[in-house]
Amino acid sequence: MIAIAIVRTKDLLAVVMLTGIYGLLSASFFVVLDAVDVAFTEASVGAGISGLLMLAAITMTGRAEAPKRHKPLLALLVVFITGGMLIYGTLDMPYFGSFEAPVHQHVAPRYINDSMQEVGVPNIVTSVLASYRAFDTLGEVAVIFTAGIGVLSLLSLPLRRKSLQLDESSKDQMHEQHMVLRIVSKILIPFILLFALYVQFHGDFGPGGGFQAGVIFAAAIILYAMLFGLDTARRVFNQSLIQLIAAIGLLLYASVGVVSLFNGGNFLDYNVLADDPIAGQHLGILLIELGVGCTVAAVMIIIFFNFAGRREAQQHATEQSSLELINSPELNSTEPNNGKGE
Amino acid sequence: MNLILEIGSGLCLLLGCFLCLSGGVGILRFPDFFTRMHAVGVTDTLGAGMILIGLMLQNPEGLVLLKLMMILLFTLFINPTASHALAKAALRNNLQPVLDESTNKGGDKPSKP
Amino acid sequence: MLTAATIAILVVMLLAIIRCVVGPTLYDRILAFNMFGTKTVLLISILGFLMGRPEFLDIALVYALINFISVIGVLRFSDSIEFKHPLQQQASPKEDKQ
Amino acid sequence: MLLGLYNYWIVVLLMMIGFYIVIAHGNLIKKLVGLTIFQTSVFIFYISMGNVDSGSAPILAEGVARYSNPLPHVLILTAIVVGIATTALGLALVVRIKESYGSIEEDEIQIQDQLTEDKTSC
């Protein structure tokens, strides 16, 4: 498949492109395998965001890969041995699609048969995600939040006001270059945001939910930031506001659990949130999905903004250092070295 | 009435498939980037539109129809825009179209706006 | 009829992948990527009808939007790469030929 | 008879390709791409385990008797988003490495490390 081509290609940009196609392809695979929600997520994440992040990283690190210096024979040997052992292991596995496989015997029938009475949400994936296994999901959201903090601490920059004036001329140039793009995206962005909200609140009934909606929302903001400049986007969604939203999303999730604890149930047991258990479940799932959506969207925006901000700062630094080089050739810049490889 | 819808949707799907296939052959066989883009851009927009219209005729009902129309609308918006941006970027980075031998001497004129 | 359409789209996807793998310039690859995205939208909406679950159209809609965003992103970033590393841009085709 | 296991073979193939990229290539971004492929193969593994013959997507509807197993879907759904977050973290690390070492090739970084170690030990 495509993966083999990824191994062979040296140009990293092409690799990223192939990764994007690979994401699309695996998402269609998920559709064929009936995993609608997963395909949804993979579509928005694998094809969109991950490719963009990798691109942003590549612009900072240069695109050509160095030729290999050692023979890959040993690696191939290891890979073949491991693969052979894994295939030998699969001989005992249940057949593809068989209904008698042990996976389908344990808890899944209960989810499928009883979730309508217990939770009252047609989309079983949502009910399992947000109600039966809500504690897991809380952990996942916390992981995402932590990753956002990690990126922030690794890549964030001190605010510099000085660079703003210099960017104006290049911004005007950009305005002219992307006229058509800008207008079309101005039309499209509200639709994307609206669609994200639809996915968010329709997740109980169809495919969708907080994770997907967060990613789509973030994608719309990223589109805006790419076309209208990072500073313009920052003016709408400034950094501290997004960080606040990310924290609030996680807090909302956890506090729903605490409230249900106070009302006499278990942690994240929504039956006690309202008089009627079903209504309580609905309320709980709604709030939790909202929290998840907030956190995911905010973390994705944080990640992208930091990557792009770091990139702009780098470009700015290289421009300045080249200017300085023209003015005085023997001046060595104190900026961190961000030129080419050697 | 139902039969007419069936036949119409079948025809649309067939036409769309043909257009998509021709676009696929075009992207593989044409000699340089701009002709490839021509093949893809023209046949993709129409082919996707045809297939979507065929699907629309297949199941005319409420929300599904609305979603199909949204997809069609977005496709019609997005494809030409993306092609435009692509062509512009390629031209700006001095990717020359392959011209005939006779006209090649003045050939770099159109690439510089 | 739907099955035939699915097969045709799969074939076209294969052709696009070939172009994306061999594509001499970066822009060929982006073009193939764009085409692949469009075809995926079509494939998923047809699959939704084939399986009788039209909820799948949501996914197709997401694809249409996300595809646009990623194509634009690729263009923007590739632009800046070539402004920044003109030397590497010239050097990379040589490496491809190795 | 054995053909009923083809989904596992695909998974193993993908997994090995990702594994090969991770161990045989020196470029750090390429390694991350390999990790992504590896990840996706695990996703496909889970989802294909949850699939049922003549089953349908796990959204309750009229007239559908059999549904796929929703549990793997839930696990993978969260795993994908967590995966992108961790990938972003890895990319951020790569960017910082590039800034401080001036390279993202593994062996060059090691050479530089050894040089600095030699300097400090002398």
Side-chain angles (χ1 to χ4, degrees):
Chain A
M1 250 170 32
I2 303 181
I4 299 169
I6 296 182
V7 184
R8 303 305 312 169
T9 327
K10 285 222 171 98
D11 191 344
L12 284 177
L13 257 181
V15 170
V16 169
M17 217 78 72
L18 286 173
T19 321
I21 287 194
Y22 178 73
L24 286 171
L25 204 61
S26 60
S28 8
F29 204 61
F30 290 147
V31 170
V32 176
L33 290 178
D34 290 330
V36 190
D37 283 86
V38 181
F40 216 128
T41 322
E42 177 72 23
S44 43
V45 168
I49 308 272
S50 74
L52 285 183
L53 290 180
M54 287 197 177
L55 274 175
I58 286 173
T59 48
M60 282 184 272
T61 55
R63 65 186 274 207
E65 185 187 10
K68 264 174 289 196
R69 291 191 184 80
H70 50 87
K71 290 271 182 256
L73 264 181
L74 183 65
L76 265 182
L77 195 68
V78 171
V79 164
F80 271 116
I81 291 175
T82 326
M85 279 161 69
L86 278 176
I87 286 189
Y88 178 69
T90 60
L91 293 183
D92 287 339
M93 299 290 277
Y95 286 140
F96 178 54
S98 74
F99 193 64
E100 285 78 33
V103 208
H104 304 306
Q105 304 302 327
H106 189 44
V107 285
R110 157 139 193 214
Y111 291 148
I112 292 175
N113 295 326
D114 298 346
S115 73
M116 198 63 197
Q117 282 95 47
E118 288 181 1
V119 184
V121 166
N123 188 351
I124 307 175
V125 173
T126 306
S127 69
V128 175
L129 178 85
S131 181
Y132 290 112
R133 296 192 149 256
F135 201 65
D136 275 9
T137 314
L138 179 62
E140 310 272 8
V141 177
V143 170
I144 295 169
F145 184 65
T146 318
I149 293 176
V151 172
L152 201 62
S153 62
L154 280 173
L155 290 185
S156 69
L157 291 168
L159 280 177
R160 279 187 301 180
R161 288 270 156 262
K162 210 169 43 174
S163 60
L164 283 180
Q165 289 105 24
L166 274 168
D167 286 340
E168 290 298 324
S169 58
S170 65
K171 212 178 272 175
D172 283 343
Q173 199 188 359
M174 221 168 62
H175 266 293
E176 282 188 12
Q177 278 171 5
H178 296 288
M179 196 60 160
V180 177
L181 279 188
R182 273 156 190 272
I183 289 172
V184 170
S185 352
K186 252 184 203 164
I187 299 169
L188 278 182
I189 284 174
F191 280 109
I192 301 179
L193 293 179
L194 191 66
F195 185 65
L197 289 180
Y198 166 77
V199 169
Q200 168 88 53
F201 293 113
H202 194 257
D204 300 357
F205 305 100
F211 284 100
Q212 294 93 330
V215 175
I216 297 171
F217 199 87
I221 305 296
I222 288 173
L223 177 64
Y224 185 77
M226 275 190 307
L227 286 178
F228 293 84
L230 197 62
D231 291 326
T232 330
R234 274 236 167 98
R235 227 167 282 153
V236 185
F237 288 87
N238 75 41
Q239 187 86 35
S240 51
L241 179 70
I242 309 173
Q243 289 168 18
L244 195 68
I245 291 175
I248 281 179
L250 190 54
L251 269 181
L252 181 64
Y253 197 140
S255 61
V256 169
V258 175
V259 166
S260 64
L261 206 59
F262 276 135
N263 279 3
N266 289 326
F267 189 65
L268 291 171
D269 178 11
Y270 317 128
N271 282 342
V272 291
L273 283 184
D275 301 333
D276 183 16
I278 298 285
Q281 291 280 357
H282 272 289
L283 184 64
I285 288 180
L286 194 70
L287 284 175
I288 275 192
E289 294 276 1
L290 195 63
V292 171
C294 284
T295 307
V296 171
V299 167
M300 292 297 156
I301 295 173
I302 285 179
I303 291 174
F304 180 79
F305 274 13
N306 277 299
F307 268 96
R310 175 61 72 139
R311 195 180 118 252
E312 272 186 6
Q314 259 190 11
Q315 277 176 347
H316 194 67
T318 40
E319 271 170 29
Q320 261 190 350
S321 61
S322 60
L323 277 180
E324 281 167 5
L325 275 182
I326 292 168
N327 291 337
S328 58
E330 59 274 308
L331 187 141
N332 52 349
S333 61
T334 52
E335 298 277 338
N337 177 22
N338 42 25
K340 280 151 209 146
E342 280 91 351
Chain B
M1 190 60 203
N2 227 343
L3 190 69
I4 298 175
L5 278 185
E6 265 316 294
I7 293 174
S9 96
L11 273 181
C12 281
L13 281 178
L14 208 62
L15 197 56
C17 285
F18 170 71
L19 285 171
C20 283
L21 272 179
S22 68
V25 173
I27 198 177
L28 211 59
R29 297 285 303 164
F30 274 160
D32 80 331
F33 170 70
F34 290 96
T35 47
R36 270 176 219 144
M37 198 165 75
H38 165 78
V40 173
V42 171
T43 55
D44 242 23
T45 314
L46 195 57
M50 273 300 167
I51 287 184
L52 286 176
I53 289 173
L55 287 181
M56 263 187 228
L57 293 180
Q58 195 124 120
N59 189 355
E61 167 199 309
L63 196 60
V64 177
L65 192 64
L66 185 73
K67 275 179 196 162
L68 275 176
M69 275 166 75
M70 291 287 274
I71 295 178
L72 181 60
L73 196 69
F74 284 144
T75 320
L76 287 184
F77 259 121
I78 284 167
N79 259 346
T81 315
S83 309
H84 163 84
L86 197 56
K88 206 164 181 178
L91 204 57
R92 207 156 29 122
N93 283 304
N94 297 324
L95 194 71
Q96 298 286 335
V98 174
L99 298 174
D100 271 351
E101 295 297 320
S102 53
T103 56
N104 209 4
K105 283 159 197 164
D108 62 344
K109 200 167 35 173
S111 73
K112 282 179 185 145
Chain C
M1 186 47 71
L2 285 177
T3 326
T6 316
I7 293 169
I9 287 177
L10 281 176
V11 170
V12 178
M13 280 163 96
L14 193 69
L15 296 177
I17 288 177
I18 294 172
R19 174 49 74 194
C20 191
V21 171
V22 303
T25 65
L26 172 67
Y27 298 101
D28 284 311
R29 295 207 164 102
I30 303 178
L31 183 64
F33 180 73
N34 189 11
M35 180 173 175
F36 194 85
T38 320
K39 290 297 164 297
T40 319
V41 172
L42 294 180
L43 180 72
I44 286 185
S45 39
I46 290 180
L47 274 182
F49 275 88
L50 256 184
M51 296 187 181
R53 304 292 297 255
E55 292 105 340
F56 287 14
L57 284 178
D58 277 345
I59 309 174
L61 203 50
V62 172
Y63 266 52
L65 297 171
I66 292 290
N67 190 32
F68 175 65
I69 292 176
S70 53
V71 168
I72 299 299
V74 171
L75 281 176
R76 293 277 293 127
F77 283 121
S78 62
D79 270 9
S80 63
I81 285 180
E82 268 139 36
F83 285 137
K84 208 175 129 194
H85 301 287
L87 293 175
Q88 287 194 358
Q89 160 70 12
Q90 284 171 359
S92 60
K94 266 186 227 158
E95 283 183 355
D96 273 343
K97 273 175 203 160
Q98 278 181 354
Chain D
M1 190 57 190
L2 279 178
L3 276 181
L5 295 171
Y6 67 95
N7 61 322
Y8 303 115
W9 296 344
I10 294 174
V11 167
V12 170
L13 181 69
L14 282 177
M15 203 179 264
M16 287 309 110
I17 290 170
F19 191 36
Y20 174 74
I21 295 179
V22 172
I23 57 180
H25 283 255
N27 190 306
L28 291 176
I29 288 187
K30 197 71 169 282
K31 273 180 194 283
L32 278 176
V33 172
L35 273 183
T36 318
I37 292 174
F38 199 95
Q39 231 176 16
T40 319
S41 78
V42 177
F43 298 162
I44 292 177
F45 178 61
Y46 267 67
I47 299 294
S48 66
M49 295 269 286
N51 191 31
V52 178
D53 275 342
S54 72
S56 184
I59 297 170
L60 294 175
E62 296 290 318
V64 180
R66 246 185 205 185
Y67 297 100
S68 297
N69 193 341
L71 191 56
H73 297 188
V74 174
L75 299 179
I76 297 311
L77 196 150
T78 48
I80 289 177
V81 183
V82 170
I84 178 67
T86 45
T87 309
L89 196 62
L91 285 173
L93 278 173
V94 171
V95 168
R96 288 307 292 258
I97 289 173
K98 168 78 178 177
E99 279 178 2
S100 56
Y101 284 90
S103 160
I104 52 170
E105 301 291 330
E106 203 176 32
D107 31 8
E108 287 173 20
I109 292 171
Q110 275 173 356
I111 291 170
Q112 286 193 14
D113 264 352
Q114 276 182 349
L115 282 180
T116 48
E117 266 178 31
D118 290 347
K119 267 180 205 162
T120 48
S121 64
C122 281

PDB file of all heavy atoms in Angstrom, chain C residues 24-44:
ATOM      1  N   PRO C  24       6.471  14.157 -10.554  1.00  0.00           N
ATOM      2  CA  PRO C  24       7.795  14.767 -10.583  1.00  0.00           C
ATOM      3  C   PRO C  24       7.880  16.017  -9.719  1.00  0.00           C
ATOM      4  O   PRO C  24       8.864  16.225  -9.042  1.00  0.00           O
ATOM      5  CB  PRO C  24       8.015  15.080 -12.059  1.00  0.00           C
ATOM      6  CG  PRO C  24       6.682  15.068 -12.671  1.00  0.00           C
ATOM      7  CD  PRO C  24       5.834  14.144 -11.876  1.00  0.00           C
ATOM      8  N   THR C  25       6.864  16.851  -9.736  1.00  0.00           N
ATOM      9  CA  THR C  25       6.950  18.062  -8.924  1.00  0.00           C
ATOM     10  C   THR C  25       6.017  17.956  -7.731  1.00  0.00           C
ATOM     11  O   THR C  25       5.153  17.093  -7.661  1.00  0.00           O
ATOM     12  CB  THR C  25       6.556  19.300  -9.734  1.00  0.00           C
ATOM     13  OG1 THR C  25       5.180  19.173 -10.076  1.00  0.00           O
ATOM     14  CG2 THR C  25       7.382  19.431 -10.970  1.00  0.00           C
ATOM     15  N   LEU C  26       6.238  18.871  -6.829  1.00  0.00           N
ATOM     16  CA  LEU C  26       5.407  18.926  -5.637  1.00  0.00           C
ATOM     17  C   LEU C  26       3.949  19.177  -5.991  1.00  0.00           C
ATOM     18  O   LEU C  26       3.033  18.605  -5.404  1.00  0.00           O
ATOM     19  CB  LEU C  26       5.927  20.038  -4.743  1.00  0.00           C
ATOM     20  CG  LEU C  26       5.082  20.390  -3.542  1.00  0.00           C
ATOM     21  CD1 LEU C  26       5.092  19.227  -2.600  1.00  0.00           C
ATOM     22  CD2 LEU C  26       5.616  21.609  -2.889  1.00  0.00           C
ATOM     23  N   TYR C  27       3.741  20.018  -7.024  1.00  0.00           N
ATOM     24  CA  TYR C  27       2.368  20.426  -7.324  1.00  0.00           C
ATOM     25  C   TYR C  27       1.565  19.283  -7.901  1.00  0.00           C
ATOM     26  O   TYR C  27       0.363  19.189  -7.698  1.00  0.00           O
ATOM     27  CB  TYR C  27       2.391  21.636  -8.241  1.00  0.00           C
ATOM     28  CG  TYR C  27       3.064  22.787  -7.568  1.00  0.00           C
ATOM     29  CD1 TYR C  27       4.372  23.124  -7.855  1.00  0.00           C
ATOM     30  CD2 TYR C  27       2.413  23.474  -6.567  1.00  0.00           C
ATOM     31  CE1 TYR C  27       5.000  24.142  -7.180  1.00  0.00           C
ATOM     32  CE2 TYR C  27       3.037  24.487  -5.883  1.00  0.00           C
ATOM     33  CZ  TYR C  27       4.318  24.816  -6.197  1.00  0.00           C
ATOM     34  OH  TYR C  27       4.938  25.815  -5.511  1.00  0.00           O
ATOM     35  N   ASP C  28       2.244  18.388  -8.619  1.00  0.00           N
ATOM     36  CA  ASP C  28       1.537  17.198  -9.087  1.00  0.00           C
ATOM     37  C   ASP C  28       0.993  16.425  -7.901  1.00  0.00           C
ATOM     38  O   ASP C  28      -0.126  15.915  -7.925  1.00  0.00           O
ATOM     39  CB  ASP C  28       2.481  16.310  -9.883  1.00  0.00           C
ATOM     40  CG  ASP C  28       2.720  16.855 -11.256  1.00  0.00           C
ATOM     41  OD1 ASP C  28       1.719  17.177 -11.913  1.00  0.00           O
ATOM     42  OD2 ASP C  28       3.884  16.971 -11.652  1.00  0.00           O
ATOM     43  N   ARG C  29       1.813  16.358  -6.879  1.00  0.00           N
ATOM     44  CA  ARG C  29       1.377  15.593  -5.713  1.00  0.00           C
ATOM     45  C   ARG C  29       0.191  16.255  -5.044  1.00  0.00           C
ATOM     46  O   ARG C  29      -0.770  15.588  -4.653  1.00  0.00           O
ATOM     47  CB  ARG C  29       2.535  15.482  -4.730  1.00  0.00           C
ATOM     48  CG  ARG C  29       3.676  14.695  -5.292  1.00  0.00           C
ATOM     49  CD  ARG C  29       4.471  14.061  -4.186  1.00  0.00           C
ATOM     50  NE  ARG C  29       5.318  13.029  -4.748  1.00  0.00           N
ATOM     51  CZ  ARG C  29       6.611  13.183  -4.971  1.00  0.00           C
ATOM     52  NH1 ARG C  29       7.200  14.312  -4.674  1.00  0.00           N
ATOM     53  NH2 ARG C  29       7.311  12.194  -5.473  1.00  0.00           N
ATOM     54  N   ILE C  30       0.257  17.589  -4.938  1.00  0.00           N
ATOM     55  CA  ILE C  30      -0.872  18.270  -4.307  1.00  0.00           C
ATOM     56  C   ILE C  30      -2.132  18.053  -5.120  1.00  0.00           C
ATOM     57  O   ILE C  30      -3.214  17.822  -4.580  1.00  0.00           O
ATOM     58  CB  ILE C  30      -0.586  19.769  -4.148  1.00  0.00           C
ATOM     59  CG1 ILE C  30       0.678  19.977  -3.345  1.00  0.00           C
ATOM     60  CG2 ILE C  30      -1.724  20.454  -3.458  1.00  0.00           C
ATOM     61  CD1 ILE C  30       1.041  21.412  -3.195  1.00  0.00           C
ATOM     62  N   LEU C  31      -1.960  18.122  -6.444  1.00  0.00           N
ATOM     63  CA  LEU C  31      -3.117  17.933  -7.323  1.00  0.00           C
ATOM     64  C   LEU C  31      -3.714  16.548  -7.115  1.00  0.00           C
ATOM     65  O   LEU C  31      -4.936  16.394  -6.954  1.00  0.00           O
ATOM     66  CB  LEU C  31      -2.656  18.104  -8.766  1.00  0.00           C
ATOM     67  CG  LEU C  31      -3.738  18.014  -9.825  1.00  0.00           C
ATOM     68  CD1 LEU C  31      -4.696  19.157  -9.639  1.00  0.00           C
ATOM     69  CD2 LEU C  31      -3.126  18.063 -11.187  1.00  0.00           C
ATOM     70  N   ALA C  32      -2.852  15.548  -7.073  1.00  0.00           N
ATOM     71  CA  ALA C  32      -3.347  14.189  -6.876  1.00  0.00           C
ATOM     72  C   ALA C  32      -4.021  14.054  -5.521  1.00  0.00           C
ATOM     73  O   ALA C  32      -5.044  13.376  -5.376  1.00  0.00           O
ATOM     74  CB  ALA C  32      -2.197  13.197  -6.991  1.00  0.00           C
ATOM     75  N   PHE C  33      -3.454  14.745  -4.545  1.00  0.00           N
ATOM     76  CA  PHE C  33      -4.034  14.711  -3.202  1.00  0.00           C
ATOM     77  C   PHE C  33      -5.440  15.280  -3.203  1.00  0.00           C
ATOM     78  O   PHE C  33      -6.381  14.693  -2.655  1.00  0.00           O
ATOM     79  CB  PHE C  33      -3.125  15.515  -2.280  1.00  0.00           C
ATOM     80  CG  PHE C  33      -3.582  15.571  -0.869  1.00  0.00           C
ATOM     81  CD1 PHE C  33      -3.475  14.460  -0.059  1.00  0.00           C
ATOM     82  CD2 PHE C  33      -4.126  16.721  -0.350  1.00  0.00           C
ATOM     83  CE1 PHE C  33      -3.894  14.501   1.241  1.00  0.00           C
ATOM     84  CE2 PHE C  33      -4.539  16.766   0.952  1.00  0.00           C
ATOM     85  CZ  PHE C  33      -4.425  15.658   1.748  1.00  0.00           C
ATOM     86  N   ASN C  34      -5.577  16.416  -3.880  1.00  0.00           N
ATOM     87  CA  ASN C  34      -6.885  17.061  -3.965  1.00  0.00           C
ATOM     88  C   ASN C  34      -7.897  16.151  -4.637  1.00  0.00           C
ATOM     89  O   ASN C  34      -9.016  15.956  -4.159  1.00  0.00           O
ATOM     90  CB  ASN C  34      -6.712  18.363  -4.763  1.00  0.00           C
ATOM     91  CG  ASN C  34      -7.938  19.209  -4.727  1.00  0.00           C
ATOM     92  OD1 ASN C  34      -8.841  18.935  -3.956  1.00  0.00           O
ATOM     93  ND2 ASN C  34      -7.970  20.226  -5.550  1.00  0.00           N
ATOM     94  N   MET C  35      -7.470  15.558  -5.738  1.00  0.00           N
ATOM     95  CA  MET C  35      -8.361  14.681  -6.483  1.00  0.00           C
ATOM     96  C   MET C  35      -8.741  13.482  -5.635  1.00  0.00           C
ATOM     97  O   MET C  35      -9.902  13.065  -5.595  1.00  0.00           O
ATOM     98  CB  MET C  35      -7.637  14.223  -7.736  1.00  0.00           C
ATOM     99  CG  MET C  35      -8.455  13.306  -8.575  1.00  0.00           C
ATOM    100  SD  MET C  35      -7.578  13.010 -10.071  1.00  0.00           S
ATOM    101  CE  MET C  35      -8.644  11.812 -10.793  1.00  0.00           C
ATOM    102  N   PHE C  36      -7.759  12.965  -4.915  1.00  0.00           N
ATOM    103  CA  PHE C  36      -8.024  11.815  -4.052  1.00  0.00           C
ATOM    104  C   PHE C  36      -9.071  12.171  -2.996  1.00  0.00           C
ATOM    105  O   PHE C  36      -9.986  11.384  -2.720  1.00  0.00           O
ATOM    106  CB  PHE C  36      -6.722  11.410  -3.370  1.00  0.00           C
ATOM    107  CG  PHE C  36      -6.778  10.069  -2.741  1.00  0.00           C
ATOM    108  CD1 PHE C  36      -6.524   8.948  -3.482  1.00  0.00           C
ATOM    109  CD2 PHE C  36      -7.096   9.937  -1.406  1.00  0.00           C
ATOM    110  CE1 PHE C  36      -6.583   7.711  -2.899  1.00  0.00           C
ATOM    111  CE2 PHE C  36      -7.158   8.704  -0.823  1.00  0.00           C
ATOM    112  CZ  PHE C  36      -6.902   7.586  -1.571  1.00  0.00           C
ATOM    113  N   GLY C  37      -8.953  13.383  -2.452  1.00  0.00           N
ATOM    114  CA  GLY C  37      -9.928  13.789  -1.450  1.00  0.00           C
ATOM    115  C   GLY C  37     -11.334  13.848  -2.026  1.00  0.00           C
ATOM    116  O   GLY C  37     -12.289  13.340  -1.430  1.00  0.00           O
ATOM    117  N   THR C  38     -11.464  14.459  -3.223  1.00  0.00           N
ATOM    118  CA  THR C  38     -12.782  14.532  -3.850  1.00  0.00           C
ATOM    119  C   THR C  38     -13.365  13.148  -4.058  1.00  0.00           C
ATOM    120  O   THR C  38     -14.534  12.894  -3.794  1.00  0.00           O
ATOM    121  CB  THR C  38     -12.674  15.247  -5.204  1.00  0.00           C
ATOM    122  OG1 THR C  38     -11.778  16.330  -5.076  1.00  0.00           O
ATOM    123  CG2 THR C  38     -13.999  15.725  -5.643  1.00  0.00           C
ATOM    124  N   LYS C  39     -12.480  12.246  -4.531  1.00  0.00           N
ATOM    125  CA  LYS C  39     -12.967  10.893  -4.800  1.00  0.00           C
ATOM    126  C   LYS C  39     -13.388  10.195  -3.514  1.00  0.00           C
ATOM    127  O   LYS C  39     -14.333   9.418  -3.494  1.00  0.00           O
ATOM    128  CB  LYS C  39     -11.887  10.095  -5.515  1.00  0.00           C
ATOM    129  CG  LYS C  39     -11.655  10.554  -6.920  1.00  0.00           C
ATOM    130  CD  LYS C  39     -12.896  10.355  -7.734  1.00  0.00           C
ATOM    131  CE  LYS C  39     -12.829  11.136  -9.015  1.00  0.00           C
ATOM    132  NZ  LYS C  39     -12.763  12.575  -8.836  1.00  0.00           N
ATOM    133  N   THR C  40     -12.682  10.510  -2.420  1.00  0.00           N
ATOM    134  CA  THR C  40     -13.071   9.882  -1.167  1.00  0.00           C
ATOM    135  C   THR C  40     -14.448  10.347  -0.724  1.00  0.00           C
ATOM    136  O   THR C  40     -15.250   9.546  -0.233  1.00  0.00           O
ATOM    137  CB  THR C  40     -12.050  10.203  -0.078  1.00  0.00           C
ATOM    138  OG1 THR C  40     -10.767  10.125  -0.635  1.00  0.00           O
ATOM    139  CG2 THR C  40     -12.157   9.249   1.053  1.00  0.00           C
ATOM    140  N   VAL C  41     -14.709  11.639  -0.921  1.00  0.00           N
ATOM    141  CA  VAL C  41     -16.043  12.140  -0.590  1.00  0.00           C
ATOM    142  C   VAL C  41     -17.102  11.359  -1.340  1.00  0.00           C
ATOM    143  O   VAL C  41     -18.081  10.862  -0.764  1.00  0.00           O
ATOM    144  CB  VAL C  41     -16.135  13.639  -0.936  1.00  0.00           C
ATOM    145  CG1 VAL C  41     -17.549  14.115  -0.780  1.00  0.00           C
ATOM    146  CG2 VAL C  41     -15.211  14.442  -0.087  1.00  0.00           C
ATOM    147  N   LEU C  42     -16.859  11.212  -2.653  1.00  0.00           N
ATOM    148  CA  LEU C  42     -17.848  10.493  -3.466  1.00  0.00           C
ATOM    149  C   LEU C  42     -17.975   9.051  -3.005  1.00  0.00           C
ATOM    150  O   LEU C  42     -19.082   8.518  -2.860  1.00  0.00           O
ATOM    151  CB  LEU C  42     -17.432  10.527  -4.935  1.00  0.00           C
ATOM    152  CG  LEU C  42     -17.455  11.899  -5.559  1.00  0.00           C
ATOM    153  CD1 LEU C  42     -17.019  11.810  -6.995  1.00  0.00           C
ATOM    154  CD2 LEU C  42     -18.840  12.466  -5.470  1.00  0.00           C
ATOM    155  N   LEU C  43     -16.831   8.429  -2.752  1.00  0.00           N
ATOM    156  CA  LEU C  43     -16.845   7.013  -2.378  1.00  0.00           C
ATOM    157  C   LEU C  43     -17.658   6.820  -1.103  1.00  0.00           C
ATOM    158  O   LEU C  43     -18.477   5.906  -1.002  1.00  0.00           O
ATOM    159  CB  LEU C  43     -15.416   6.531  -2.171  1.00  0.00           C
ATOM    160  CG  LEU C  43     -15.301   5.070  -1.784  1.00  0.00           C
ATOM    161  CD1 LEU C  43     -15.631   4.211  -2.973  1.00  0.00           C
ATOM    162  CD2 LEU C  43     -13.933   4.737  -1.276  1.00  0.00           C
ATOM    163  N   ILE C  44     -17.444   7.701  -0.154  1.00  0.00           N
ATOM    164  CA  ILE C  44     -18.134   7.490   1.124  1.00  0.00           C
ATOM    165  C   ILE C  44     -19.618   7.745   0.985  1.00  0.00           C
ATOM    166  O   ILE C  44     -20.437   7.011   1.540  1.00  0.00           O
ATOM    167  CB  ILE C  44     -17.502   8.382   2.203  1.00  0.00           C
ATOM    168  CG1 ILE C  44     -16.156   7.788   2.568  1.00  0.00           C
ATOM    169  CG2 ILE C  44     -18.364   8.449   3.429  1.00  0.00           C
ATOM    170  CD1 ILE C  44     -15.471   8.454   3.650  1.00  0.00           C
TER     171      ILE C  44
END
